[in-house]
Amino acid sequence: VLRFWDLGAKAFHHDESLHAFYSWRLFDGQGYVHDPMMHGPLLFELNALIYLVFGASDFTARLVPALFGVALIGLPFLLRHELGRAGAIAAAVLFTVSPAFLYFSRFIRHDIYVDVFTLLMVIGVFRYLSTGQRSWFYTACVPAALLFATKEDFFISGFIPFVFLAASWFLLRGERRQLFHSRVRALGVQA
């Protein structure tokens, strides 16, 4: 309800107007030319698809960010083994009522996409290391690729898990170190 109530009621912010306009041009058949000033193409492609399915309006322009905002609330469930049930619920509640996350999930910009993809990438890394299931490795890889198609700060978002993994390679001890090394080697990485 917080993500969708009066979603189209306020006027577009300057960035929103640009994103909505270039998405509409793509939807209208005028094409899309990548300009690094406007970040990656994913936002425009998703919005053009929404315009095609539901029509173009202020509400539909903000629909994909609102859906991503809802998805963000559900993602802590995938970390319940690491956070505990109460921790996952607390994280979901905080994502729900956080003024910053609420604002950016009602705003047609890249921020909420970056948040969701980064968290999903981190979840994939942690769950793969915990379970060894390759599906979690792919769960980390797909959002990493989508981050790259979303915004340039992928280099920061991707660097953080890389530093974590590199530090873990050297800092873990005993049985945990052996398990970590075996999981990384199972991906075909030799060290």
Side-chain angles (χ1 to χ4, degrees):
V1 171
L2 292 174
R3 268 53 183 176
F4 296 100
W5 187 270
D6 276 343
L7 192 57
K10 71 175 183 144
F12 280 149
H13 174 281
H14 175 69
D15 286 355
E16 286 186 295
S17 68
L18 292 173
H19 297 147
F21 174 70
Y22 288 111
S23 297
W24 179 80
R25 288 188 60 178
L26 178 59
F27 154 74
D28 195 44
Q30 298 177 44
Y32 170 80
V33 177
H34 176 68
D35 181 348
M37 181 185 78
M38 299 294 289
H39 307 298
L42 186 66
L43 177 147
F44 303 102
E45 292 165 354
L46 290 175
N47 265 48
L49 177 62
I50 288 295
Y51 292 165
L52 178 67
V53 174
F54 298 109
S57 70
D58 291 359
F59 176 86
T60 57
R62 294 180 177 128
L63 185 58
V64 177
L67 293 170
F68 269 72
V70 171
L72 184 67
I73 293 167
L75 286 179
F77 175 77
L78 298 175
L79 283 173
R80 67 191 179 283
H81 300 288
E82 290 77 12
L83 299 175
R85 185 171 181 258
I89 291 170
V93 168
L94 290 173
F95 281 141
T96 302
V97 299
S98 163
F101 285 108
L102 180 59
Y103 177 76
F104 284 113
S105 64
R106 297 175 53 86
F107 190 78
I108 178 175
R109 260 184 43 155
H110 299 81
D111 308 278
I112 196 69
Y113 303 103
V114 170
D115 297 337
V116 169
F117 294 144
T118 301
L119 183 56
L120 196 52
M121 181 177 59
V122 168
I123 289 168
V125 167
F126 277 109
R127 299 303 303 141
Y128 172 74
L129 292 175
S130 176
T131 67
Q133 296 173 351
R134 278 195 179 249
S135 60
W136 287 113
F137 173 73
Y138 299 124
T139 300
C141 291
V142 170
L146 291 170
L147 269 168
F148 191 73
T150 301
K151 197 172 179 190
E152 299 78 9
D153 56 7
F154 164 75
F155 297 106
I156 297 168
S157 302
F159 181 72
I160 293 168
F162 175 77
V163 169
F164 167 79
L165 292 173
S168 297
W169 183 267
F170 296 105
L171 297 176
L172 287 173
R173 299 284 176 240
E175 189 176 306
R176 287 182 150 198
R177 181 182 184 131
Q178 290 175 342
L179 180 62
F180 179 80
H181 286 205
S182 69
R183 297 269 162 80
V184 172
R185 286 192 183 107
L187 297 172
V189 176
Q190 301 300 318

